[in-house]
Amino acid sequence: MAALSIDSKYKMLSGYEIPVLGYGVYQTPADVTEDVTLHAFKTGYRHVDSARGYRNEQPCADAMRKSLIPRGEIFFTSKVPPRAMGYEQTKASINSSFKQTGLDYIDLYLIHAPYGGKEARNGAWRALVEAKQAGLIRSIGVSNYGVHHLNELEAYIKEMEERYGKGRGGEISVGQWELHPWLARKDIVDWCTERGVICEAYCPIVRGQRFGESVVQELSRKHQKTPAQVLLRWSLQKGFVPLPKSVTPARIEENANLYDFELSAEDMKALETSEYSPCAWDPTTSTD
Ligand SMILES: NC(=O)c1ccc[n+]([C@@H]2O[C@H](COP(=O)([O-])OP(=O)(O)OC[C@H]3O[C@@H](n4cnc5c(N)ncnc54)[C@H](OP(=O)(O)O)[C@@H]3O)[C@@H](O)[C@H]2O)c1
């Protein structure tokens, strides 16, 4: 693995690059979002993970402008709300994101969750593909899809290509899931790895709930790094794109200070568990 730094990027199937460390803003109140996002930019983050449902797209975009960092160096993600699935509603969701943010383009737009049934999922995807073809969105993907949803989408992409021509079905550049040592989702990660889909890790520090685990404590002592840094380093070394969230300036910095140590193969193994323990919702298992 090439040495990672805060400036590392991965190339996606869309051809665009994604910064490997993201900054999550779920549950970040709109009135503090601009300030904390600016602090993240000062710290060196160049990737913000928002969503229609977080109600803070606008202050994220305000921070992007105020930072004076060239637009092309910042990566911004939003997501289709689970209650706005389907073709027309997804088009409306994308329009709202542009109205709220005032951005010329959005780097990544994800389907937030696989709810609403097959027709709604396929319709949402078709709207994303059209927005990508119109140059509004650069890369598209999904979040919280189980392998059965991913297979369904892959079949739909193939069907679209047969109907409209090669490349017209879009490509799944990114998938976003809750991923950490107590929810490693081998089936989903293998599906993505085989196809070159980038895996983003949400709740990468398990919302602080596992800092007391003895293996985390031991590795924290061994490397003289905090439990959050150990878990984020695990995520980076798994090849994921972790999206830690914090509204606390010192933690924003701590969560980006990951590049002066490395977990050994033995450390990585010690962090392997066979648990399936989500700390957030788990739409991957939905069957409608
Ligand atoms: N696609 C989805 O369905 C989905 C679902 C959940 C999350 N996400 C994305 O993933 C991001 C991260 O997930 P998350 O926010 O649920 O969980 P997380 O990043 O694992 O944990 C965030 C929590 O940990 C605290 N924290 C942050 N850094 C810390 C540190 N160094 N030491 C101790 N505590 C620390 C934060 O507190 P303070 O903020 O008070 O510092 C906050 O309460 C979200 O913001 C969002 O962008 C996506």
Side-chain angles (χ1 to χ4, degrees):
M1 189 176 60
L4 288 164
S5 77
I6 196 160
D7 299 320
S8 294
K9 294 181 179 126
Y10 291 139
K11 191 158 183 172
M12 295 176 285
L13 292 175
S14 62
Y16 290 101
E17 291 186 323
I18 181 169
V20 174
L21 181 66
Y23 176 64
V25 292
Y26 173 52
Q27 289 185 325
T28 299
D31 60 345
V32 305
T33 300
E34 183 184 314
D35 278 355
V36 293
T37 305
L38 271 170
H39 191 77
F41 290 146
K42 271 189 211 123
T43 305
Y45 296 78
R46 291 292 180 270
H47 170 176
V48 182
D49 183 76
S50 184
R52 296 281 313 131
Y54 301 172
R55 299 175 187 276
N56 55 21
E57 291 171 289
Q58 185 185 333
C60 288
D62 289 342
M64 288 165 68
R65 280 183 285 268
K66 281 214 176 142
S67 73
L68 302 180
I69 297 166
R71 171 67 184 94
E73 291 174 24
I74 298 181
F75 190 94
F76 178 73
T77 302
S78 192
K79 312 185 188 93
V80 181
R83 271 172 292 182
M85 293 290 279
Y87 176 72
E88 290 299 339
Q89 282 183 282
T90 298
K91 269 186 20 177
S93 162
I94 295 167
N95 282 339
S96 303
S97 289
F98 280 101
K99 223 177 256 169
Q100 290 256 309
T101 60
L103 296 174
D104 295 335
Y105 68 89
I106 289 176
D107 296 275
L108 177 66
Y109 218 97
L110 304 175
I111 296 177
H112 208 142
Y115 291 148
K118 179 176 175 176
E119 201 184 318
R121 283 190 288 275
N122 288 348
W125 184 257
R126 189 158 59 87
L128 290 184
V129 171
E130 285 181 8
K132 182 177 179 266
Q133 278 160 3
L136 294 170
I137 295 172
R138 290 196 162 173
S139 304
I140 58 180
V142 296
S143 181
N144 296 303
Y145 269 44
V147 167
H148 56 300
H149 301 118
L150 291 167
N151 285 333
E152 174 193 279
L153 177 56
E154 191 171 56
Y156 181 60
I157 289 172
K158 206 166 156 229
E159 194 186 310
M160 282 178 80
E161 297 221 331
E162 279 161 10
R163 204 179 308 158
Y164 305 117
K166 201 164 162 45
R168 303 302 289 249
E171 61 286 301
I172 310 169
S173 283
V174 167
Q176 183 179 122
W177 291 275
E178 181 178 340
L179 286 167
H180 47 67
W182 300 274
L183 189 60
R185 298 195 184 282
K186 187 178 177 333
D187 56 344
I188 289 173
V189 171
D190 284 351
W191 194 98
C192 290
T193 307
E194 279 162 25
R195 293 160 175 82
V197 177
I198 304 282
C199 289
E200 293 185 333
Y202 76 70
C203 304
I205 59 167
V206 209
R207 298 180 171 165
Q209 293 166 14
R210 300 286 191 153
F211 290 171
E213 296 273 338
S214 55
V215 58
V216 176
Q217 288 290 321
E218 271 165 39
L219 292 175
S220 170
R221 272 193 298 275
K222 174 178 168 188
H223 292 284
Q224 293 293 296
K225 299 296 278 188
T226 66
Q229 290 167 332
V230 167
L231 294 178
L232 290 167
R233 190 70 210 185
W234 177 89
S235 196
L236 290 174
Q237 290 184 214
K238 290 291 278 189
F240 302 154
V241 170
L243 309 169
K245 174 264 177 186
S246 177
V247 295
T248 314
R251 289 174 173 174
I252 292 172
E253 292 162 30
E254 176 185 329
N255 296 345
N257 183 3
L258 306 171
Y259 305 101
D260 59 353
F261 79 115
E262 200 170 332
L263 298 174
S264 67
E266 204 179 34
D267 298 338
M268 290 296 286
K269 197 150 178 51
L271 280 166
E272 258 176 41
T273 80
S274 52
E275 277 191 45
Y276 187 103
S277 303
C279 70
W281 63 340
D282 189 12
T284 64
T285 57
S286 73
T287 51
D288 72 332

